[in-house]
Amino acid sequence: MCVDCQTFLHGLIAKGLLFETGVEGLYGRSGIFEDVVTRFDQLISRYGGDDGAEVIRFPPGMNRELFEKSGYMNGFPQLAGTIHSFEGDDRDHAHLLEKQAKGEDWTALQKATDIVLTPAACYPLYPVVARRGTLPESGGIFDLSSYCFRHEPSQESTRMQMFRMREYVRIGTPGQVTAFRALWLERAHKLVGQLGLPFELDVANDPFFGRAGKFMASSQRDQKLKFELLIPVESTGKPTACLSFNYHQDHFGLLWDIKTPDGGTAHTACVGFGMERVTLALFKHHGLDTAAWPKSVRDALWG
Amino acid sequence: MCVDCQTFLHGLIAKGLLFETGVEGLYGRSGIFEDVVTRFDQLISRYGGDDGAEVIRFPPGMNRELFEKSGYMNGFPQLAGTIHSFEGDDRDHAHLLEKQAKGEDWTALQKATDIVLTPAACYPLYPVVARRGTLPESGGIFDLSSYCFRHEPSQESTRMQMFRMREYVRIGTPGQVTAFRALWLERAHKLVGQLGLPFELDVANDPFFGRAGKFMASSQRDQKLKFELLIPVESTGKPTACLSFNYHQDHFGLLWDIKTPDGGTAHTACVGFGMERVTLALFKHHGLDTAAWPKSVRDALWG
């Protein structure tokens, strides 16, 4: 699928920017890598900071019951991660350790907890907003960021199993929400341009699972509900989605019963930033030595 | 166990500093809460910043095989969280959705992945250090931080299932390592004093599981391997461990075969900061309005 992804990933590891853990898609980050992530995060805030978004930071896991209600397992069962734990007594514990010692599978003894890993930063938000009752006239705008999990082991540096997603989410009337998406499509042009990265915008679809998923993906594309900002990182022919702009229409509004003051069902949209992906794009295009990056890029990040 | 923990937690939620998710010990954080966490993080860096520690940031999960080797399941099986995922086909998917629709347990169909949630920020570090070969004369010193998971649902605000731990880890000769711990015990006095928080230091033990665990806990206390800095948050009688100072002797050195240049087995120690716990202690002692906190505390954090 990718031409020289192994080379790029190995280069990052050899340079000490990422650390191997023995699991594909799971890496430690160096201080330099993290500094770029932090500076990019601050750059996003400079673009979105005047919108008055409410900052909420959720941990990397969410309530399993709410996750189930969200319907994520309909579309993406292959990506979700449920958290399981040991709930036995001394005897069960001895049994578990015996299996471990013999190199047998002990994980079937684990029981699902009430928590699943967050698949996208905005999933835990909607129930919180719904609990507050009818939206004010101005709707809602939220600034989110969290580690997310997607079970898709890969040797592509840009396809991590655990990665950070920053998001702005708009909740309100169709007009408020589509204006928000249009504004961010415009801002994104400027922002990614400031970073000196080549990009293209394209209509996209989520990776829906299975046979039924093919229909969902095609319908999503036809309705132009999702755009992605693509940057070549692992390959030029298959550039990487680094930002996404998603118009959910009334999907989450109906699901969580979120209402606008006129009694209508709220619409929602989000802009999501793949923090590691953009950071990797910067290393790919400007080189592994941040001190040697173009002055305009350094000014945008550290200026 | 705690006198007015419900009151304190409810106060934080009513004030909008934390957000309920419907799962005990799992909360969203407001922008104000996060700002305190960030400022405390920066204060720690001001104390430790001149030591030349190597910064590494691991995601909130680690390699399951290395986790198993670490022996965590011997001591704390009840706290660990393994990540499980769906690995079936269209037919299995239909079966899963049917179970979900009927309100039946569908999680037994999930299979363990190669990843477990990180139980303490330093666990993923040792194998990385081991791979580098024999330590240099100066040993190693590392600056870590990550979200950690412990499966212990609770109504105590200070006992979160997902929380952040900042750590400095020292790896080297027994002399290097014990000097590090002594230095941080001294620094911690000053740091927590700057924050205007009452505290005491005490010998401690980890919450080892089961009958055999009682012996391990008692041995750890007798050898004074772990100290905790305790601050009253939920109750005065049972103050909360907010920082810990752990001398592992050669436990991790032997396990991962980490050597000092003289051929000896490396010793390790760490100082860990419970980021949410210290933040909660600040809100408990100085009130829920950060603008009204004592000037000296504000200067330490925002100065």
Side-chain angles (χ1 to χ4, degrees), chain B residues 135-149:
Chain B
L135 293 170
E137 286 291 343
S138 55
I141 178 162
F142 301 90
D143 172 345
L144 308 174
S145 178
S146 84
Y147 253 103
C148 299
F149 176 79

Side-chain angles (χ1 to χ4, degrees), chain A residues 163-221:
Chain A
F163 59 94
R164 275 158 295 184
M165 188 188 296
R166 173 89 183 266
E167 279 194 57
Y168 283 104
V169 179
R170 187 76 171 103
I171 307 183
T173 63
Q176 287 169 336
V177 162
T178 51
F180 164 89
R181 194 175 68 157
L183 176 64
W184 270 108
L185 277 164
E186 201 183 294
R187 283 176 176 168
H189 267 83
K190 207 177 150 198
L191 191 160
V192 179
Q194 262 197 294
L195 296 177
L197 298 170
F199 67 93
E200 57 187 277
L201 272 167
D202 203 1
V203 176
N205 59 265
D206 290 311
F208 294 100
F209 179 80
R211 279 195 301 266
K214 287 205 179 79
F215 170 75
M216 290 194 264
S218 143
S219 157
Q220 191 183 31
R221 288 186 76 89

Side-chain angles (χ1 to χ4, degrees), chain A residues 21 63 73 80 82 84 93, chain B residues 21 29 63 73 82 84-85 93:
Chain A
T21 68
N63 181 329
M73 292 303 283
T82 45
H84 297 228
H93 186 215
Chain B
T21 68
R29 284 85 162 142
N63 181 329
M73 292 303 285
T82 46
H84 297 229
S85 204
H93 186 214

Side-chain angles (χ1 to χ4, degrees), chain A:
Chain A
M1 239 170 94
C2 67
V3 183
D4 61 353
C5 59
Q6 281 242 322
T7 319
F8 181 51
L9 179 59
H10 289 170
L12 292 160
I13 291 164
K15 180 79 177 176
L17 289 164
L18 293 181
F19 300 92
E20 288 182 286
T21 68
V23 173
E24 287 180 348
L26 190 75
Y27 309 103
R29 285 87 162 140
S30 73
I32 291 172
F33 191 96
E34 283 299 290
D35 188 35
V36 176
V37 171
T38 304
R39 299 298 178 151
F40 173 50
D41 200 39
Q42 291 167 349
L43 181 63
I44 297 168
S45 297
R46 290 208 291 280
Y47 277 85
D50 289 337
D51 297 348
E54 178 179 348
V55 176
I56 307 184
R57 296 286 177 262
F58 292 99
M62 66 176 287
N63 181 329
R64 178 155 64 84
E65 196 180 318
L66 300 179
F67 168 84
E68 288 178 20
K69 187 173 166 190
S70 80
Y72 192 83
M73 292 303 283
N74 296 340
F76 319 103
Q78 78 283 17
L79 299 178
T82 45
I83 302 174
H84 297 228
S85 204
F86 172 79
E87 293 187 358
D89 57 15
D90 266 307
R91 204 168 150 157
D92 301 319
H93 186 215
H95 182 49
L96 185 159
L97 294 181
E98 198 186 309
K99 278 187 167 284
Q100 249 192 20
K102 286 187 191 161
E104 292 174 9
D105 179 27
W106 56 275
T107 59
L109 306 170
Q110 299 281 95
K111 303 284 181 208
T113 69
D114 292 339
I115 306 180
V116 300
L117 291 177
T118 307
C122 63
Y123 269 73
L125 175 69
Y126 305 108
V128 168
V129 174
R131 264 206 312 272
R132 292 180 179 175
T134 301
L135 293 170
E137 286 290 342
S138 56
I141 179 161
F142 300 91
D143 172 345
L144 307 175
S145 178
S146 83
Y147 253 103
C148 300
F149 176 79
R150 294 188 186 170
H151 186 240
E152 42 180 356
S154 165
Q155 293 187 339
E156 290 181 34
S157 63
T158 47
R159 197 164 291 282
M160 294 189 182
Q161 295 198 62
M162 287 186 147
F163 59 94
R164 275 158 295 184
M165 188 188 296
R166 173 89 183 266
E167 279 194 57
Y168 283 104
V169 179
R170 187 76 171 103
I171 307 183
T173 63
Q176 287 169 336
V177 162
T178 51
F180 164 89
R181 194 175 68 157
L183 176 64
W184 270 108
L185 277 164
E186 201 183 294
R187 283 176 176 168
H189 267 83
K190 207 177 150 198
L191 191 160
V192 179
Q194 262 197 294
L195 296 177
L197 298 170
F199 67 93
E200 57 187 277
L201 272 167
D202 203 1
V203 176
N205 59 265
D206 290 311
F208 294 100
F209 179 80
R211 279 195 301 266
K214 287 205 179 79
F215 170 75
M216 290 194 264
S218 143
S219 157
Q220 191 183 31
R221 288 186 76 89
D222 290 348
Q223 294 182 76
K224 296 185 195 271
L225 295 177
K226 180 173 184 168
F227 288 90
E228 285 176 343
L229 188 146
L230 305 158
I231 305 176
V233 183
E234 295 286 7
S235 104
T236 317
K238 262 186 88 70
T240 301
C242 292
L243 280 71
S244 76
F245 312 80
N246 231 317
Y247 178 29
H248 318 116
Q249 298 174 299
D250 60 3
H251 174 79
F252 289 115
L254 276 174
L255 190 63
W256 299 110
D257 194 24
I258 308 175
K259 297 285 189 196
T260 49
D262 61 5
T265 297
H267 282 226
T268 62
C270 61
V271 50
F273 301 84
M275 303 306 292
E276 278 79 6
R277 286 186 171 181
V278 172
T279 301
L280 290 164
L282 286 161
F283 281 113
K284 178 73 177 192
H285 288 275
H286 304 314
L288 301 188
D289 178 8
T290 55
W293 287 4
K295 184 174 180 307
S296 59
V297 176
R298 289 195 54 84
D299 285 350
L301 293 170
W302 288 276

Side-chain angles (χ1 to χ4, degrees), chain A residues 209, chain B residues 86 89-100:
Chain A
F209 179 80
Chain B
F86 171 79
D89 57 15
D90 266 309
R91 206 169 148 155
D92 301 319
H93 186 214
H95 183 49
L96 186 159
L97 294 181
E98 198 186 308
K99 278 187 167 286
Q100 249 193 22

Side-chain angles (χ1 to χ4, degrees), chain B residues 210-241:
Chain B
R211 279 195 301 264
K214 290 207 176 77
F215 170 75
M216 292 195 263
S218 142
S219 157
Q220 190 184 30
R221 287 186 77 90
D222 289 349
Q223 293 182 78
K224 295 185 198 273
L225 294 177
K226 180 171 183 168
F227 287 91
E228 286 175 343
L229 187 146
L230 305 158
I231 305 176
V233 183
E234 294 287 6
S235 101
T236 317
K238 262 187 88 70
T240 301

